[in-house]
């Protein structure tokens, strides 16, 4: 017997960190469905055949940049290439697609951090996105290294660290289980020493207050609701499958881990989905 839990256009999964444990909910239409309670249960997600832009709401045949129609993808500052490569920020050149959006989202304090995802990596995030950003990347540990004055500054510092450590997560490895714990404060000290000359040059050119080293913050530990990790990661998408079903074995980052494969829910932002739970008669 199948019981409908929710349906409608979905957004990326909402998360909250309670002590060290992550709690998940899936926004669907005007409501959201709690997901942690579905662990070990048989569920199905059915694509209802429509995709709507998360910005303007128009129906689109294809989603760009995790939820946008092509005109919005071309127009919005949050879809510009400098979002993925913050060191290329062109706000100061006067060519930002939406200067007001840049003021609110880019010209504000950011953190450069180290995280244990599929291994050690460096990343950046706005202060308002801590710890959400770390959870979305599947980090089991995270630690701020610098507070910086803008997205551009964060990108420049990230590039310096990225010459010595990864700046991307290997998502298949991340989904196969938790990494061994790392001494992130020691890694922060090591990388800060290696990059000391570059960081000082940036402070001299960007302003002494633009880049502040953080040396006393505590490591954030994150535990995900997972019953069993897959030994082999099989990716599923609604672009190829009208229905994804199986036993929910876990949730990590923005992925549902089923016994039949994994699906990136953020990848399907704007898709109209029906979520059902299947129970025995």
């Amino acid at each position: 017997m199948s019981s409908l839990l929710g349906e409608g256009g979905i957004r990326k999964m909402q998360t909250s960190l309670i002590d060290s444990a992550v709690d998940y909910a899936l926004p669907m239409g005007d409501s959201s469905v709690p997901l942690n309670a579905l662990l070990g249960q048989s569920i199905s997600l059915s694509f209802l055949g429509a995709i709507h832009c998360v910005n303007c709401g128009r129906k689109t045949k294809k989603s760009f940049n995790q939820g946008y129609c092509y005109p919005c993808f071309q127009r919005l500052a949050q879809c510009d290439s400098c979002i993925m490569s913050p060191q290329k920020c062109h706000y100061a050149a006067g060519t930002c697609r939406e200067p007001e959006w840049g003021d609110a989202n880019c010209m504000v304090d950011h953190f450069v951090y180290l995280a244990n995802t599929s291994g050690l990596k460096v990343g950046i995030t706005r202060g308002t996105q801590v710890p959400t950003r770390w959870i979305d990347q599947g980090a089991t540990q995270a630690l701020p290294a610098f507070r910086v004055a803008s997205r551009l500054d964060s990108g420049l510092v990230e590039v310096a660290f990225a010459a010595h450590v990864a700046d991307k997560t290997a998502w298949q490895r991340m989904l196969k289980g938790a990494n061994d714990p790392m001494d992130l404060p020691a890694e922060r000290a090591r990388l800060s020493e290696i990059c000391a000359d570059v960081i000082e040059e940036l402070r001299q050119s960007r302003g002494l207050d633009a880049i502040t080293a953080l040396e006393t913050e505590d490591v954030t530990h994150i535990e995900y609701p997972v019953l069993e990790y897959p030994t082999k990661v099989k990716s599923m998408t609604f672009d190829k499958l009208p229905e994804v079903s199986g036993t929910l074995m876990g949730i990590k980052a923005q992925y549902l881990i089923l016994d039949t494969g994994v699906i990136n829910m953020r990848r399907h932002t704007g898709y109209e989905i029906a979520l059902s739970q299947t129970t025995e008669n």
Side-chain angles (χ1 to χ4, degrees):
M1 187 173 72
S2 180
S3 173
L4 181 66
L5 300 178
E7 65 179 14
I10 65 171
R11 299 293 187 268
K12 82 180 188 77
M13 291 186 287
Q14 298 169 336
T15 60
S16 57
L17 192 62
I18 303 171
D19 293 327
S20 296
V22 184
D23 189 70
Y24 281 92
L26 178 63
M28 306 188 76
D30 296 327
S31 61
S32 63
V33 178
L35 295 177
N36 289 44
L38 297 176
L39 283 176
Q41 303 299 310
S42 179
I43 64 171
S44 66
L45 299 107
S46 301
F47 178 39
L48 301 180
I51 308 171
H52 291 273
C53 175
V54 296
N55 180 65
C56 70
R58 69 161 57 99
K59 192 173 181 179
T60 177
K61 292 183 179 180
K62 183 178 180 180
S63 174
F64 296 86
N65 199 36
Q66 300 176 335
Y68 298 91
C69 65
Y70 189 71
C72 286
F73 172 68
Q74 290 288 93
R75 176 176 58 83
L76 297 176
Q78 57 199 291
C79 296
D80 203 344
S81 61
C82 55
I83 297 302
M84 293 300 295
S85 302
Q87 72 276 15
K88 297 179 181 179
C89 174
H90 47 94
Y91 180 94
T95 55
C96 180
R97 293 180 182 181
E98 298 175 280
E100 290 184 359
W101 188 90
D103 285 335
N105 293 277
C106 299
M107 308 306 291
V108 296
D109 280 2
H110 280 61
F111 289 101
V112 179
Y113 64 84
L114 294 176
N116 184 0
T117 56
S118 57
L120 182 66
K121 76 174 291 288
V122 61
I124 68 166
T125 187
R126 296 193 305 273
T128 55
Q129 292 300 300
V130 172
T132 301
R133 176 65 172 164
W134 301 337
I135 295 171
D136 286 350
Q137 292 189 335
T140 53
Q141 299 169 279
L143 178 69
F146 294 91
R147 177 185 286 110
V148 296
S150 70
R151 188 173 183 84
L152 173 59
D153 294 318
S154 70
L156 295 173
V157 175
E158 182 185 37
V159 166
F161 268 34
H164 308 281
V165 66
D167 60 354
K168 292 181 174 59
T169 297
W171 63 272
Q172 297 98 329
R173 189 186 311 160
M174 178 270 294
L175 288 174
K176 288 183 177 180
N179 294 318
D180 293 334
M182 293 182 174
D183 188 342
L184 292 187
E187 291 294 342
R188 177 178 60 188
R190 179 181 70 86
L191 290 165
S192 295
E193 182 177 358
I194 292 172
C195 299
D197 290 345
V198 176
I199 299 299
E200 183 57 30
E201 288 178 8
L202 289 173
R203 293 183 73 237
Q204 293 298 326
S205 63
R206 301 294 301 168
L208 296 181
D209 295 332
I211 302 171
T212 303
L214 302 175
E215 300 175 348
T216 60
E217 278 68 20
D218 294 328
V219 175
T220 295
H221 297 272
I222 304 171
E223 299 176 1
Y224 297 89
V226 178
L227 299 177
E228 183 178 331
Y229 285 103
T231 56
K232 183 178 181 180
V233 176
K234 175 188 174 184
S235 180
M236 300 182 289
T237 171
F238 293 120
D239 294 333
K240 295 182 179 180
L241 296 171
E243 181 176 322
V244 170
S245 61
T247 301
L248 182 63
M249 302 305 294
I251 316 169
K252 190 176 183 183
Q254 282 289 316
Y255 289 85
L256 297 182
I257 303 172
L258 306 176
D259 61 350
T260 53
V262 305
I263 183 165
N264 183 345
M265 299 307 292
R266 188 171 192 175
R267 155 74 175 76
H268 296 94
T269 299
Y271 285 58
E272 289 192 6
I273 304 295
L275 171 62
S276 300
Q277 179 180 3
T278 303
T279 56
E280 297 182 359
N281 293 330

